[in-house]
Amino acid sequence: MKYLLVFCLVFSASYAAIDEHRISLIERKFEDLARQLMLTELAMGERTRSDYDSGIKQIRNTADGTKSYFDQTHTFNSVCSIHEHSNNDRTVGMGEFTASLNGVEFRTRHNDYRLRMPHRTSKNYHWQEDIPFPHVPPSVLQKRTLPEQIKELHNYFRAFSFQNFHFRDYRPYFKPVLCYLEGTWTADTKTLNEPFESDRHHIDATSWFDLQEKIRFTSYTGGKHYLENFSYLPTTIMNMVNGTPEYAQWNYRIACHPLKKDLPLSALKPVDDMAARIGHRWNITRFAHSRAARFVLAPDFNGNRNKYQWQNGYGSFPDRRTSINSVLDWVMSEIPGKDNYPAKLHDTTFGMRILDPRVRNATELNTGYYHRYFRHERKGAMGTFNAHRGYSDRNLFVAQTSNPNVAEMKIKWCGRDEHTHKPFCKEEGVRYSYAIPLEIIYLNPLMSWNPYNLEHISDRRKKYIVTKDGRNGGLTHAKAYNGTSYEKYYRTPVEFYQTAHTTVDKDAADTARGTVGVLDRHGNVKRVLSSGVRITLPDIPGVGKIRMRYPIMPITSEGNQIGKEVEAVKDVLNHLETMGAYLQERPSSLSGGGNAKADAHFRTSVTNQDPPGHHFHEMFIPNEDMLDLGKGHKITVVTTTDNSHDHKIEVSYDQHTHKYTIHKCDGQDKCWDGHTAELFRLE
Ligand SMILES: *[C@@H]1O[C@H](CO)[C@@H](O)[C@H](O)[C@H]1NC(C)=O
Ligand SMILES: *[C@@H]1O[C@H](CO)[C@@H](O)[C@H](O)[C@H]1NC(C)=O
Ligand SMILES: *[C@@H]1O[C@H](CO)[C@@H](O)[C@H](O)[C@H]1NC(C)=O
Ligand SMILES: *[C@@H]1O[C@H](CO)[C@@H](O)[C@H](O)[C@H]1NC(C)=O
């Protein structure tokens, strides 16, 4: 019995030893596997980084065509799916897109971001402030009657549209704001954080896990949630600490920054995104006036080389050259990373000081702000001081942060002390975020001008007052809105956009541009238009249409050989006169170059039905179809996507009244959201 007990004890002890040995073996194997997974992710990231620049990759496809260029890339009808929600006070309409930032590819929800900027005094994570709207010029407010005020305000818009600050100094009242896409690995992998506010969209999931499951499902079925509230945001293993993986969750936001000084329109020039342009059969001027156009910033602010073309509302400048520290670098360098405006950080990893490339002396760069160039103290292996962030990423702007909400990347490194020459080793951790520019938006005085002194309900919880008792913005006392709110932001008198003495109802197309009734403080109905952010303002008498949003987002495909070759070929073909000599055999003749028959451009009437809210749609009808319409045939077109939906419309043409009308809308006699049968020809 005694022996048996001893035997048992010895046996179980050795058994436990085997167990412990096995567990530590499994732990080691597990760590090896996790490390291998990290390396696989690195390989995928490296692959993406060498294939693509940071930028916008794709928007949602809404229609197909007989050629691939009828399909969406980063643009087609509208770049990055930008649109208007000008009935909201500070909402900027932007749909879903796929983007890549430093090799991390992700897909956004329907964005509709707000004009908000990082906090000016607090470093707290994602604390933001509203961007102040420009004031109304005092010379306008001094005028006693409304027509006089309108006339004087027109002068400011005229000065802006001619970029002539001698006529009226428009610069304090037309403030450029740079909105940007920012992404980073965050440390919180448990609770889902809404990265930025939208009045209209929120991520529809309870946790990151829930969101991933929903995205996986829609990817599997190819389906789509009709409200566009899902985003695809990857996760990663950031570090291995004593055999335990530290996970990180990718998240992004869109925020804005008011530029410190004026950005002349002469420093913006359209980019030829030829697929979308040929898909619409537009020449470059026509394309540049559409919402499909992107712009590029000039190499420098230099006013002599940047020529402003007032007829077009953009500039032209010599741009076939290399540049460092261009206008884009200057404006991006005003934007802080996740430490907000108080950011003050220096990166000294590997014992190297990172210097500001813009100054000659050895000033340390504040790496808490976005930059893509920096200087090294010592000459690098290639004998240069200047370095670019990323191995080959033209568009990669980075900023350091100290915020613990951003996942830390750790590194062990060894060196020698500069003075004592003693070797040492240390472990350091840094946190970075990445950004690309999205668009420049010029704010204007209409955003704060309130000539009828309409009551604004600023408390969001009380917005119901405005629409109480079935008020829908109709032009009668019973139906007019009672004051304005953040999502019923109508305060621009309709006369601002009309020629003098024309009654409001005369031109159906103009009134339909969203004239609504709002009660003033004395209960009188005032006819007003929405005053929020627009891509292009409606026609202003004596001024014309002015573009207010200039998309400047870079795209991913220019980061590889194909993209660069195509861009070179496009330049030669577009500029045969000056660059034709690069062709190995010159074309003997080009047939007349005719494109007289551009697509006809239409829009529907405005509807105020809610949901889906104040909006209209546009559509483009090719010339062949216009000829068929003339012969009495009906043709089918799909409208642009606005307020997250489109319509399939059967159009007919009446040869007697010369009117184009909606015959069927989504197969029904009437559009479900209240567009009338009328169609308005824009050009
Ligand atoms: C989804 O987006 C719609 C707007 O299209 C919004 O009204 C709704 O609140 C969002 N749903 C969720 C659950 O976030
Ligand atoms: C471009 O097309 C528009 C009409 O869409 C036309 O008015 C303009 O003259 C054209 N410009 C050139 C340079 O052909
Ligand atoms: C470097 O030059 C800047 C102005 O360009 C100046 O403000 C700064 O004090 C200088 N720093 C040093 C270390 O000389
Ligand atoms: C409009 O709203 C105000 C409160 O903001 C209220 O006092 C007033 O009675 C309302 N007017 C009408 C006509 O409902």
Side-chain angles (χ1 to χ4, degrees):
M1 183 68 203
K2 217 171 172 184
Y3 289 109
L4 189 64
L5 190 66
V6 168
F7 174 78
C8 273
L9 278 174
V10 168
F11 185 78
S12 62
S14 68
Y15 214 83
I18 289 170
D19 249 19
E20 228 163 71
H21 175 72
R22 280 186 55 143
I23 285 173
S24 75
L25 194 74
I26 291 169
E27 268 177 1
R28 255 206 337 269
K29 295 262 185 242
F30 172 76
E31 191 174 337
D32 289 349
L33 267 178
R35 181 152 290 281
Q36 189 57 36
L37 196 62
M38 282 169 74
L39 293 179
T40 311
E41 278 182 358
L42 176 65
M44 281 165 53
E46 284 298 290
R47 178 73 178 270
T48 320
R49 278 185 280 273
S50 64
D51 278 351
Y52 298 113
D53 280 347
S54 294
I56 305 298
K57 196 172 178 193
Q58 185 67 44
I59 56 173
R60 191 179 275 280
N61 207 357
T62 55
D64 297 304
T66 42
K67 298 275 184 190
S68 63
Y69 54 72
F70 285 108
D71 278 21
Q72 274 78 0
T73 52
H74 55 280
T75 182
F76 188 64
N77 286 326
S78 104
V79 61
C80 258
S81 311
I82 60 169
H83 51 272
E84 294 178 355
H85 291 298
S86 60
N87 55 310
N88 287 49
D89 59 349
R90 52 173 69 242
T91 298
V92 187
M94 184 177 275
E96 305 166 282
F97 57 79
T98 308
S100 177
L101 281 181
N102 195 22
V104 182
E105 214 174 284
F106 61 103
R107 200 164 86 209
T108 72
R109 64 159 156 80
H110 190 109
N111 286 293
D112 285 356
Y113 62 96
R114 310 185 71 221
L115 289 172
R116 309 260 291 158
M117 61 179 175
H119 205 277
R120 277 173 294 188
T121 51
S122 164
K123 285 191 185 178
N124 286 358
Y125 190 56
H126 283 181
W127 274 31
Q128 288 190 310
E129 294 178 85
D130 279 349
I131 292 180
F133 291 149
H135 295 293
V136 183
S139 68
V140 172
L141 296 177
Q142 275 158 17
K143 298 279 187 281
R144 258 174 299 157
T145 66
L146 181 63
E148 284 176 320
Q149 287 205 2
I150 289 179
K151 203 163 157 227
E152 178 61 7
L153 196 48
H154 280 172
N155 283 334
Y156 277 88
F157 278 84
R158 188 170 299 128
F160 173 71
S161 113
F162 286 97
Q163 294 280 287
N164 182 342
F165 51 81
H166 300 298
F167 174 55
R168 289 286 185 283
D169 192 356
Y170 60 85
R171 290 170 299 181
Y173 311 107
F174 289 78
K175 291 266 193 198
V177 164
L178 171 56
C179 299
Y180 57 98
L181 174 72
E182 180 183 60
T184 191
W185 292 107
T186 63
D188 190 351
T189 53
K190 297 279 180 318
T191 45
L192 190 142
N193 288 307
E194 191 72 53
F196 62 101
E197 280 176 75
S198 165
D199 290 332
R200 306 178 39 81
H201 291 266
H202 310 279
I203 292 176
D204 179 13
T206 51
S207 65
W208 288 114
F209 182 77
D210 184 29
L211 181 63
Q212 285 149 5
E213 289 299 292
K214 283 177 170 162
I215 273 292
R216 242 163 51 80
F217 183 80
T218 52
S219 294
Y220 172 77
T221 59
K224 168 191 174 183
H225 189 282
Y226 74 108
L227 292 171
E228 306 185 339
N229 291 357
F230 300 151
S231 24
Y232 167 61
L233 300 167
T235 54
T236 191
I237 300 176
M238 204 68 182
N239 300 295
M240 285 294 289
V241 182
N242 302 329
T244 310
E246 261 181 24
Y247 293 95
Q249 171 65 51
W250 181 262
N251 208 345
Y252 82 99
R253 70 166 174 176
I254 298 176
C256 299
H257 158 78
L259 292 183
K260 286 186 184 148
K261 59 176 196 175
D262 182 43
L263 181 71
L265 291 176
S266 61
L268 288 153
K269 164 174 165 170
V271 178
D272 191 1
D273 283 328
M274 222 164 182
R277 182 158 77 81
I278 306 302
H280 285 118
R281 301 171 191 127
W282 282 335
N283 63 27
I284 184 76
T285 324
R286 177 65 194 82
F287 178 67
H289 288 158
S290 75
R291 43 178 81 177
R294 276 190 308 143
F295 293 80
V296 63
L297 284 169
D300 41 42
F301 286 104
N302 181 347
N304 310 327
R305 309 211 67 197
N306 304 348
K307 300 261 187 301
Y308 180 60
Q309 302 172 337
W310 61 267
Q311 310 90 323
N312 290 326
Y314 51 76
S316 76
F317 41 80
D319 61 354
R320 279 182 229 131
R321 63 181 178 91
T322 51
S323 66
I324 295 180
N325 293 323
S326 63
V327 171
L328 182 60
D329 291 279
W330 281 101
V331 292
M332 284 299 283
S333 73
E334 293 181 1
I335 300 177
K338 298 285 190 194
D339 277 11
N340 300 339
Y341 289 107
K344 186 113 191 85
L345 291 163
H346 299 298
D347 188 343
T348 52
T349 331
F350 299 124
M352 300 251 236
R353 289 203 306 155
I354 284 189
L355 307 178
D356 194 331
R358 293 172 298 178
V359 290
R360 288 262 147 249
N361 63 12
T363 310
E364 260 186 291
L365 180 67
N366 182 355
T367 48
Y369 278 70
Y370 281 105
H371 59 280
R372 53 179 173 177
Y373 291 101
F374 59 92
R375 258 159 98 88
H376 267 315
E377 218 166 3
R378 268 161 273 168
K379 285 200 177 194
M382 298 300 289
T384 66
F385 281 88
N386 276 340
H388 196 294
R389 291 279 181 182
Y391 180 75
S392 62
D393 194 337
R394 187 155 81 114
N395 311 322
L396 179 67
F397 287 89
V398 310
Q400 202 181 348
T401 173
S402 60
N403 201 303
N405 287 294
V406 175
E408 188 180 46
M409 178 67 103
K410 297 191 183 80
I411 184 72
K412 271 202 195 89
W413 61 276
C414 301
R416 269 175 198 279
D417 188 282
E418 289 217 6
H419 306 291
T420 62
H421 299 284
K422 278 211 183 110
F424 66 87
C425 287
K426 68 179 194 179
E427 189 180 67
E428 269 182 313
V430 289
R431 300 179 166 90
Y432 271 90
S433 62
Y434 315 100
I436 52 167
L438 284 182
E439 56 181 331
I440 308 262
I441 302 176
Y442 287 88
L443 307 185
N444 69 72
L446 292 178
M447 293 172 159
S448 46
W449 191 46
N450 186 8
Y452 289 133
N453 193 20
L454 301 175
E455 180 153 9
H456 185 68
I457 313 286
S458 46
D459 186 344
R460 290 187 158 218
R461 287 163 304 177
K462 294 204 177 135
K463 67 173 184 181
Y464 64 86
I465 292 176
V466 173
T467 51
K468 210 170 152 198
D469 301 328
R471 296 184 171 277
N472 62 5
L475 298 175
T476 62
H477 188 272
K479 286 292 175 196
Y481 292 129
N482 182 12
T484 63
S485 70
Y486 78 94
E487 54 169 19
K488 299 278 182 281
Y489 200 62
Y490 296 95
R491 34 159 76 177
T492 308
V494 80
E495 293 81 4
F496 184 82
Y497 292 116
Q498 306 275 332
T499 15
H501 311 304
T502 325
T503 56
V504 174
D505 293 319
K506 199 165 180 187
D507 187 342
D510 283 347
T511 33
R513 251 187 205 282
T515 307
V516 301
V518 176
L519 294 184
D520 69 5
R521 286 166 205 254
H522 308 293
N524 301 319
V525 179
K526 297 292 176 192
R527 292 164 179 244
V528 281
L529 293 170
S530 56
S531 315
V533 182
R534 293 179 190 254
I535 301 168
T536 305
L537 297 178
D539 225 323
I540 300 175
V543 181
K545 292 180 186 156
I546 316 181
R547 187 179 194 113
M548 303 312 269
R549 286 174 70 181
Y550 289 81
I552 54 165
M553 55 286 278
I555 59 171
T556 52
S557 66
E558 283 163 10
N560 59 33
Q561 294 97 327
I562 305 171
K564 289 171 201 204
E565 287 287 311
V566 168
E567 186 155 32
V569 172
K570 243 161 58 178
D571 259 5
V572 172
L573 290 180
N574 268 332
H575 305 281
L576 271 184
E577 206 63 47
T578 47
M579 297 176 80
Y582 293 111
L583 292 177
Q584 297 192 7
E585 287 174 20
R586 296 199 66 175
S588 51
S589 71
L590 274 173
S591 66
N595 170 34
K597 311 282 184 228
D599 293 2
H601 188 181
F602 289 88
R603 69 169 185 80
T604 66
S605 69
V606 174
T607 172
N608 284 313
Q609 194 168 308
D610 202 359
H614 171 90
H615 74 285
F616 62 87
H617 302 270
E618 292 175 73
M619 67 203 74
F620 300 92
I621 304 185
N623 190 52
E624 305 95 271
D625 287 348
M626 287 299 282
L627 295 178
D628 278 352
L629 275 172
K631 288 181 201 145
H633 299 297
K634 296 189 180 64
I635 60 119
T636 305
V637 275
V638 179
T639 67
T640 52
T641 307
D642 297 279
N643 285 32
S644 313
H645 69 277
D646 51 30
H647 301 283
K648 191 171 165 193
I649 286 182
E650 213 177 292
V651 183
S652 61
Y653 174 68
D654 188 322
Q655 276 149 341
H656 303 293
T657 58
H658 301 289
K659 282 210 162 96
Y660 294 87
T661 47
I662 299 180
H663 184 68
K664 290 265 186 227
C665 182
D666 301 316
Q668 309 286 318
D669 289 341
K670 283 206 167 76
C671 290
W672 62 272
D673 52 354
H675 299 291
T676 62
E678 278 171 300
L679 284 176
F680 305 102
R681 178 105 190 237
L682 298 178
E683 64 195 59

